[in-house]
């Protein structure tokens, strides 16, 4: 799950983005995945890491094999996951059926991981280092979009695999269930402090200036917060009223996703003591400035 505004964007199925990064498109375009999940072959040797094997759609394996041929990758070393959302972990079983029982590692999220007990998931903690010929990955725990989210610094390029935290186009959905906007903003600040050059996102095209994109993402959230507060300054409002005002330029089909982001902003403001809700259910409540 990522960015609803990427609908219709086209990317090549296979692309070589650096001497150690080849992308294979996950073949799962949708309202929430844009062109599909970017799956990455990482390294320079005959055996490489696969970061995020996509959603598990049948058309993906031939694309992955094409990407391996094109980049000179003869075998997969292991599978590494940015997080446990279905468009990232869903393809693991099909890849293992094709290439054998590869090691799969991720940051733990017990509720999700329980559904993948057959994979014998290996734990990656914050700061975990993974190595293959020509590439070193360092995990950075970046919760907010998902509690188990890891980004990975690619040390050799001072670059970042950003998962769903930063996207090639559009913005990240912070789901009401298990998402946390406050944590997400903390994660963006942590990534900015790393001053990455390139960002390799989980959806959409390569980002050449990582620092500029992170600054843009942080500014975007602050602007949304300002817009939501401006609506409440005019009087108490329900979430959907705020959405119709703030997201007036977006198609109505996206308003449900926008309601999640808006609710996340309101919850963050509520924790900060700046707004309050008239009822426990955030969608049914009227929200007021304190
Ligand atoms: Zn996700």
């Amino acid at each position: 799950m990522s960015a609803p505004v990427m609908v219709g964007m086209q990317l090549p199925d296979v692309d070589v983005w650096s001497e150690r990064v080849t992308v294979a498109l996950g073949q799962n375009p949708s309202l929430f995945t844009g062109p599909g999940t970017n799956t990455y072959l990482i390294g320079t040797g005959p055996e490489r890491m696969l970061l995020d094997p996509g959603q598990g759609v049948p058309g993906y394996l031939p694309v992955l094999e094409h990407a391996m041929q094109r980049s000179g990758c003869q075998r997969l070393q292991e599978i590494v996951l940015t997080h446990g959302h279905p468009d990232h972990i869903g393809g693991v079983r099909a890849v293992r059926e094709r290439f054998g029982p590869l090691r799969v590692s991720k940051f733990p999220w017990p509720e999700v991981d329980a559904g993948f007990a057959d994979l014998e998931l290996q734990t990656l903690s914050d700061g975990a280092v993974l190595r293959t010929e020509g590439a070193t990955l360092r995990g950075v725990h970046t919760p907010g979009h998902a509690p188990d989210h890891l980004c990975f610094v690619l040390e050799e390029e001072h670059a970042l695999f950003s998962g769903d935290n930063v996207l090639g186009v559009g913005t990240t959905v912070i789901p009401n269930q298990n998402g946390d906007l406050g944590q997400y903003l903390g994660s963006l600040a942590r990534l900015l402090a790393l001053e990455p050059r390139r960002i390799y996102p989980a959806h959409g095209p390569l980002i050449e200036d990582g620092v500029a994109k992170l600054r843009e993402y942080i500014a975007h959230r602050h602007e949304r917060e300002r817009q939501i507060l401006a609506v409440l300054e005019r009087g108490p409002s329900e979430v959907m009223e705020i959405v119709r005002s703030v997201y007036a330029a977006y198609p109505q089909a996206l308003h449900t996703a926008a309601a999640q982001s808006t609710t996340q902003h309101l919850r963050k403001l509520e924790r900060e003591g700046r707004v309050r809700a008239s009822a426990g259910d955030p969608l049914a409540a009227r929200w007021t400035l304190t």
Side-chain angles (χ1 to χ4, degrees):
M1 177 190 293
S2 56
V5 296
M6 295 189 296
V7 175
M9 166 172 275
Q10 300 285 317
L11 288 175
D13 280 344
V14 174
D15 215 352
V16 177
W17 282 353
S18 86
E19 62 178 304
R20 51 179 69 73
V21 178
T22 298
V23 61
L25 197 58
Q27 309 303 307
N28 56 324
S30 77
L31 191 61
F32 289 101
T33 61
T37 305
N38 292 336
T39 84
Y40 288 104
L41 289 169
I42 301 166
T44 58
E47 195 170 84
R48 304 195 189 181
M49 294 188 273
L50 175 63
L51 179 68
D52 283 352
Q55 192 154 340
V57 298
Y60 170 66
L61 284 182
V63 172
L64 175 60
E65 285 169 357
H66 176 207
M68 291 171 68
Q69 282 163 11
R70 183 153 159 209
S71 61
C73 169
Q74 292 161 22
R75 294 178 301 281
L76 298 180
Q77 175 180 309
E78 61 184 307
I79 297 169
V80 182
L81 298 172
T82 58
H83 62 301
H85 281 163
D87 55 322
H88 298 257
I89 198 172
V92 169
R93 288 191 180 104
V95 169
R96 280 166 49 110
E97 276 163 27
R98 171 69 183 80
F99 294 98
L102 300 163
R103 183 170 69 159
V104 184
S105 48
K106 69 187 285 297
F107 192 95
W109 181 359
E111 299 93 305
V112 165
D113 298 349
F116 296 92
D118 55 306
L119 303 180
E120 296 178 2
L121 294 166
Q122 304 295 304
T123 292
L124 287 181
S125 306
D126 182 54
V129 172
L130 297 155
R131 289 193 175 84
T132 191
E133 187 177 332
T136 311
L137 295 184
R138 179 165 49 86
V140 185
H141 187 219
T142 41
H145 168 73
D148 63 340
H149 198 286
L150 282 173
C151 295
F152 294 92
V153 173
L154 174 56
E155 304 278 10
E156 287 79 0
E157 298 185 7
H158 205 80
L160 187 72
F161 291 96
S162 61
D164 278 357
N165 268 32
V166 182
L167 305 169
V169 63
T171 58
T172 302
V173 169
I174 309 299
N176 268 341
Q177 212 175 0
N178 303 307
D180 186 308
L181 182 65
Q183 285 186 351
Y184 178 68
L185 287 169
S187 292
L188 290 182
R190 191 167 178 209
L191 295 177
L192 179 60
L194 297 172
E195 299 183 345
R197 292 178 195 143
R198 284 178 154 189
I199 289 180
Y200 298 107
H203 303 274
L206 169 66
I207 297 159
E208 287 288 359
D209 188 341
V211 168
K213 178 59 81 172
L214 283 161
R215 289 209 175 108
E216 178 191 318
Y217 260 46
I218 292 165
H220 167 77
R221 297 291 168 172
H222 288 150
E223 172 66 7
R224 278 279 180 265
E225 182 170 290
R226 196 195 58 70
Q227 291 170 325
I228 289 165
L229 288 169
V231 172
L232 294 179
E233 275 162 22
R234 298 199 291 269
S237 302
E238 292 179 9
V239 166
M240 288 315 296
E241 292 174 316
I242 299 171
V243 167
R244 282 192 288 276
S245 172
V246 172
Y247 294 84
Y250 290 74
Q252 209 153 7
L254 300 178
H255 281 190
T256 307
Q260 299 199 36
S261 289
T262 301
T263 303
Q264 286 285 339
H265 275 286
L266 290 166
R267 283 184 169 157
K268 171 180 170 287
L269 291 165
E270 188 180 34
R271 283 195 297 274
E272 294 167 359
R274 297 164 72 187
V275 304
R276 65 169 176 268
S278 66
D281 175 358
L283 286 173
R286 292 188 77 69
W287 291 83
T288 319
L289 294 179
T290 55

